[in-house]
Amino acid sequence: MKVELARPDKVLWPQGGFTKADLWRYVERVADRLLSQVAGRPLTLKRFPDGLDGEGFFQKNLPDRAPDWLPRFRVWTPSSRRHVTYLVAGDVDHLRWMADQAALEFHPWFSRTDRPQRPDLLVFDLDPAEGMGSAVQAAWWLKAMLDEAGLASLVKTSGKRGLHVYVPIERRYSFDEVRDFGLAVARCCADRHPGKLTVEVPKGQRKGRLLVDWTRNGRAQTLVAAWSPRAHPAATVSMPLDWDEVGSALDPTAFTLDTAPGRPDAWADPPRAQRIEKARRALSEAGYPS
């Protein structure tokens, strides 16, 4: 083992009394499942060194003091005009190091380091203002539209009150192409349910409708990984689901550091990577630029 756990009794989730040792044990128990989602992808960590009662922050750039054996991906960021060195987790010791750093959330890119300009996922974030009911309904409407377009999809809880829908895609498209296609899909879905859904990002323009958030499909954008813990008082986990679990009884707080490891992996056999040309043509013929 390359890393040892410091201050194992440090409480990170005060409501449930979950400690750094609990987080360490969790990442060990789900290592294979979690690594299947983050391996080879630049990672942003959300850290809470003093637990949820303290201040949290997103960490993109690995600090200079980080161990030399941690894999890295260095990239120039035009927006901040500097190089950023991301962590790239590939084995359980890397996960242990993240736990020791009180990283409560793991946010991977939608592309991999060998082809960082070519995403392999199309994603939608469904985050309701309150409750799960509107997110559940929106997820099924979105799935139905994707099914019509010939695109198989995956679904998971956000670990909070929303749902995330993923479509595995071939690594042949630019981020701009995937983002534009995601907007076309979201707009088509919103136009079918105009009183309930919107693609308008500013909150003042939503008028009580749920945003089908297509904006995550951009370079260096992220969503929390499947199997990642969340900075939620109940120590929840972003849980992969079978579509038949997405219903009125769905309770995202049921999936925690304690309960999640005992579940089967609903994403263990994901759809193969898909091309989007046919779906893009169909949307274009329907009047939605993509």
Side-chain angles (χ1 to χ4, degrees):
M1 186 180 299
K2 296 180 179 179
V3 59
E4 295 184 359
L5 179 62
R7 302 178 67 194
D9 296 330
K10 175 66 181 178
V11 176
L12 299 180
W13 287 271
Q15 178 174 297
F18 291 97
T19 65
K20 281 180 71 175
D22 294 319
L23 176 58
W24 177 284
R25 283 190 291 268
Y26 172 77
V27 298
E28 288 184 328
R29 292 177 69 189
V30 303
D32 288 348
R33 288 168 277 181
L34 181 53
L35 286 169
S36 73
Q37 302 301 314
V38 304
R41 302 178 187 274
L43 276 172
T44 295
L45 307 179
K46 191 169 186 181
R47 295 180 52 201
F48 287 81
D50 297 315
L52 284 185
D53 283 349
E55 185 176 351
F57 62 93
F58 283 100
Q59 178 180 292
K60 295 182 178 181
N61 204 32
L62 270 181
D64 292 339
R65 66 180 182 277
D68 292 342
W69 48 264
L70 287 171
R72 291 159 163 81
F73 177 70
R74 191 166 185 261
V75 62
W76 174 258
T77 56
S79 59
S80 56
R81 298 188 60 79
R82 68 186 179 110
H83 282 95
V84 174
T85 302
Y86 288 88
L87 169 66
V88 184
D91 67 32
V92 68
D93 273 326
H94 306 152
L95 300 180
R96 290 180 179 122
W97 182 84
M98 291 152 62
D100 185 54
Q101 297 298 301
L104 305 195
E105 297 184 2
F106 317 140
H107 295 249
W109 282 19
F110 303 124
S111 61
R112 301 174 186 271
T113 57
D114 59 336
R115 298 182 70 188
Q117 303 300 331
R118 299 295 177 184
D120 60 1
L121 293 166
L122 166 70
V123 301
F124 300 93
D125 183 9
L126 308 173
D127 185 13
E130 57 184 32
M132 282 289 293
S134 59
V136 166
Q137 182 64 83
W140 278 106
W141 284 334
L142 183 57
K143 180 183 187 300
M145 223 215 71
L146 291 167
D147 286 347
E148 287 180 33
L151 295 173
S153 57
L154 299 164
V155 64
K156 68 182 181 73
T157 67
S158 70
K160 294 188 176 179
R161 63 191 176 197
L163 293 169
H164 298 155
V165 176
Y166 282 44
V167 179
I169 58 174
E170 292 188 3
R171 297 199 291 173
R172 57 191 297 122
Y173 313 103
S174 69
F175 275 104
D176 286 344
E177 289 177 300
V178 174
R179 181 183 169 94
D180 289 347
F181 177 69
L183 172 57
V185 171
R187 182 174 286 131
C188 183
C189 197
D191 283 356
R192 290 185 178 187
H193 308 282
K196 299 293 186 179
L197 305 178
T198 183
V199 298
E200 301 299 334
V201 176
K203 290 186 177 181
Q205 297 180 28
R206 297 183 194 175
K207 300 178 181 178
R209 298 167 295 177
L210 184 144
L211 171 65
V212 182
D213 192 349
W214 49 276
T215 64
R216 302 288 189 151
N217 296 290
R219 185 177 181 276
Q221 292 290 310
T222 65
L223 280 175
V224 69
W227 295 101
S228 171
R230 292 306 309 262
H232 182 283
T236 55
V237 169
S238 181
M239 179 54 56
L241 302 171
D242 289 316
W243 271 105
D244 60 10
E245 296 181 280
V246 181
S248 59
L250 179 61
D251 177 9
T253 65
F255 311 117
T256 68
L257 297 189
D258 275 342
T259 64
R263 278 181 51 89
D265 188 359
W267 289 13
D269 186 22
R272 63 180 178 83
Q274 303 159 94
R275 295 190 180 187
I276 64 176
E277 281 86 355
K278 183 178 179 181
R280 188 161 51 185
R281 285 194 300 269
L283 291 175
S284 180
E285 291 169 1
Y288 298 94
S290 61

